[in-house]
């Protein structure tokens, strides 16, 4: 099975589980978009509200017209898990282990917008711009930290109906850029587009002779773009305010340290919000 199929199948399974355990449930202090808009900068500063997605009230139906767009999309993860090899006695199996976010409250995506099209009677959402990535780090129970770029860049989400209503589902693939850019320098001053070509003090190992293979990935930095998958389900629709809200489950690969290590698979669950215009 390909990575794409694996991500797609797992995301659908995890989305059903997220709904079953109540990820969609509104928090005790749920706040709507109109309530957030009434707050000043000083009222929001330091409260964590800037990292939260608004809640939607209502169970209406919205049927987008030709040329419609989704705007102000917000995607807020609330739980994370990392795939690990678990087992004893030489027998192992891959399982997702719950992890703890170490990043401060800057991991929510916001201001995302794009076009809405109708293909074969079903809605298709294509992401075009916005704050669509956030550098995030989670920590496993053993203390290992896993950095990744939480994102939905270039997402094309295909729906299962021609209108937004409770129960509407959509999902698709997105691109995950490298966690670090070419300007990043490792502790030995090596980078993708700048810095040294090799570790200082080891020039003799760069001749292609024996021993060079061990340092090849460390010395030759790459900007890896991998593929992720997200599944979303709408559970609240407010036709008067043109708002939709729901839950999501996303799977993607973590940091490769610019090509020098094998990335871990990361699962994120949470809520989303968007306006339909």
């Amino acid at each position: 099975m390909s990575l794409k199929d694996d991500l797609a199948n797992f995301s659908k399974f995890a989305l059903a589980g997220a709904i079953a355990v109540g990820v969609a449930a509104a928090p005790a202090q749920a706040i709507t978009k109109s309530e957030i808009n009434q707050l000043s900068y000083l009222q929001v500063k330091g409260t964590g509200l800037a990292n939260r997605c608004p809640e939607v009230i209502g169970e209406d139906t919205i049927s987008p017209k030709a040329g419609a767009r989704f705007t102000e999309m917000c995607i807020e993860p609330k739980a994370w898990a990392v795939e690990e090899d678990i087992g004893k006695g030489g027998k192992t199996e891959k399982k997702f282990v719950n992890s703890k976010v170490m990043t401060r409250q800057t991991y929510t995506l916001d201001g995302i917008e794009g076009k809405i099209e109708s293909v074969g009677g079903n809605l298709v959402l294509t992401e075009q711009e916005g704050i669509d990535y956030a550098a995030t780090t989670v920590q496993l129970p053993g203390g290992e930290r896993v950095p990744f770029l939480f994102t939905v860049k270039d997402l094309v989400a295909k729906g299962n109906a021609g209108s937004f209503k409770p129960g509407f589902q959509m999902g698709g693939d997105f691109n995950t850029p490298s966690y670090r850019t070419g300007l990043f320098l490792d502790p030995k001053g090596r980078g993708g587009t700048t810095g040294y070509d090799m570790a200082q003090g080891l020039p003799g190992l760069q001749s292609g002779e024996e021993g060079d293979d061990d340092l090849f990935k460390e010395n030759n930095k790459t900007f890896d773009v991998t593929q992720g998958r997200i599944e979303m389900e709408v559970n609240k629709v407010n036709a008067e305010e043109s708002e939709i809200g729901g839950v999501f489950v996303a799977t993607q690969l973590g940091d490769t340290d610019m090509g020098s290590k094998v990335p871990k698979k990361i699962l994120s669950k949470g809520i989303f919000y968007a306006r339909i215009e």
Side-chain angles (χ1 to χ4, degrees), residues 258-272:
M258 300 194 76
S260 65
K261 68 180 183 181
V262 178
K264 294 180 180 291
K265 188 184 297 184
I266 298 165
L267 169 71
S268 304
K269 303 178 183 179
I271 63 174
F272 73 92

Side-chain angles (χ1 to χ4, degrees), residues 81-142:
V82 179
E83 189 177 60
E84 290 281 87
D85 290 322
I86 306 296
K88 295 181 179 179
K91 295 182 180 180
T92 62
E93 60 178 330
K94 293 185 179 296
K95 289 186 177 181
F96 279 92
V97 179
N98 291 333
S99 58
K100 175 184 178 182
V101 65
M102 303 304 294
T103 305
R104 292 188 178 185
Q105 296 183 331
T106 57
Y107 49 78
T108 291
L109 310 183
D110 197 12
I112 299 172
E113 60 181 82
K115 61 182 179 179
I116 301 175
E117 300 174 298
S118 179
V119 179
N122 294 330
L123 298 179
V124 177
L125 283 68
T126 303
E127 188 267 345
Q128 295 178 315
E129 59 182 320
I131 304 175
D132 54 9
Y133 68 93
T136 308
T137 299
V138 295
Q139 180 172 291
L140 292 166

Side-chain angles (χ1 to χ4, degrees), residues 53-245:
C53 289
E55 303 289 333
V56 179
I57 299 175
E59 296 184 354
D60 305 324
T61 299
I62 297 177
S63 299
K65 299 179 181 179
R69 296 178 60 83
F70 65 91
T71 62
E72 301 182 42
M73 175 175 274
C74 175
I75 302 177
E76 178 190 352
K78 290 183 173 291
W80 300 262
V82 179
E83 189 177 60
E84 290 281 87
D85 290 322
I86 306 296
K88 295 181 179 179
K91 295 182 180 180
T92 62
E93 60 178 330
K94 293 185 179 296
K95 289 186 177 181
F96 279 92
V97 179
N98 291 333
S99 58
K100 175 184 178 182
V101 65
M102 303 304 294
T103 305
R104 292 188 178 185
Q105 296 183 331
T106 57
Y107 49 78
T108 291
L109 310 183
D110 197 12
I112 299 172
E113 60 181 82
K115 61 182 179 179
I116 301 175
E117 300 174 298
S118 179
V119 179
N122 294 330
L123 298 179
V124 177
L125 283 68
T126 303
E127 188 267 345
Q128 295 178 315
E129 59 182 320
I131 304 175
D132 54 9
Y133 68 93
T136 308
T137 299
V138 295
Q139 180 172 291
L140 292 166
E144 179 183 0
R145 294 189 175 183
V146 182
F148 68 102
L149 196 70
F150 179 56
T151 181
V152 290
K153 276 188 174 294
D154 305 320
L155 169 66
V156 178
K158 299 178 180 179
N160 62 356
S163 59
F164 295 107
K165 56 185 177 181
F168 173 84
Q169 295 183 345
M170 57 184 174
D173 299 326
F174 57 85
N175 291 325
T176 306
S178 173
Y179 180 79
R180 295 188 173 101
T181 67
L183 296 179
F184 172 80
L185 297 179
D186 69 10
K188 296 185 181 298
R190 298 168 295 190
T193 59
T194 186
Y196 297 111
D197 292 331
M198 62 196 75
Q200 288 180 300
L202 297 174
L205 295 180
Q206 308 303 309
S207 61
E209 301 297 330
E210 183 179 357
D212 192 36
D213 291 342
D214 296 335
L215 293 174
F216 180 82
K217 291 183 177 179
E218 291 286 349
N219 291 333
N220 295 272
K221 306 296 185 182
T222 59
F223 188 91
D224 296 315
V225 179
T226 57
Q227 192 174 74
R229 177 88 185 178
I230 187 170
E231 299 289 338
M232 314 170 85
E233 178 167 327
V234 174
N235 54 30
K236 295 292 182 181
V237 179
N238 187 324
E240 182 178 356
E241 299 291 340
S242 298
E243 298 175 333
I244 62 172

